[in-house]
Amino acid sequence: MILWSFREGRADNLMFDGGSIFLYGTAISIYVQTVLPSIFKNFVVLPLDLPGATFPTHLRAPTLELASSHLICSVALTGVLALQTGRWWVEHADDDANAAAKLSVVTPGGKPEVAQKDEDLVAASAPSST
């Protein structure tokens, strides 16, 4: 969906979807280059979880590296959510502005006025009898 709307070439698509694609790519590259090799190298065989056992010292550094890589991925994917929410907000703000423009009514004095109800629209569009 993001790639499809990115191809449209509109400025908001380029900004929001371009940033999202960059963050997706960052998360995927961190996962492929850091997380997967660490899992396959250090966590092939896990020690037994016995009561009272301490955490293996040889797994502390790889576990911290794995956690930090996952943190980077989660921050990048949170950025994707924020960018897509911003895109949704901008599109709905444009829709609200268009709806407000459709609801504006010109009074007989020539001043624009915002219609409050459907009855105001009907009354404003009816020809005056004076």
Side-chain angles (χ1 to χ4, degrees):
M1 180 69 175
I2 291 176
L3 289 175
W4 188 268
S5 65
F6 185 72
R7 289 181 55 215
E8 290 177 6
R10 291 188 355 213
D12 56 344
N13 287 352
L14 293 175
M15 182 175 61
F16 291 113
D17 293 343
S20 295
I21 290 168
F22 174 77
L23 290 174
Y24 268 130
T26 301
I28 289 170
S29 69
I30 292 290
Y31 197 79
V32 168
Q33 293 178 358
T34 308
V35 173
L36 292 178
S38 177
I39 288 174
F40 293 136
K41 178 182 172 191
N42 299 311
F43 300 100
V44 176
V45 178
L46 296 177
L48 295 175
D49 186 23
L50 300 174
T54 60
F55 192 80
T57 55
H58 69 282
L59 288 180
R60 286 184 191 214
T63 303
L64 289 176
E65 290 174 11
L66 189 64
S68 64
S69 297
H70 276 104
L71 179 64
I72 293 169
C73 290
S74 67
V75 169
L77 294 176
T78 302
V80 171
L81 289 174
L83 284 170
Q84 292 305 308
T85 302
R87 179 177 178 227
W88 174 84
W89 183 74
V90 166
E91 287 176 354
H92 279 58
D94 289 344
D95 291 344
D96 291 343
N98 291 337
K102 287 180 183 178
L103 289 177
S104 66
V105 177
V106 178
T107 61
K111 294 183 179 180
E113 200 175 277
V114 175
Q116 299 297 322
K117 299 177 184 172
D118 289 338
E119 295 85 24
D120 293 342
L121 288 173
V122 172
S125 63
S128 61
S129 58
T130 56

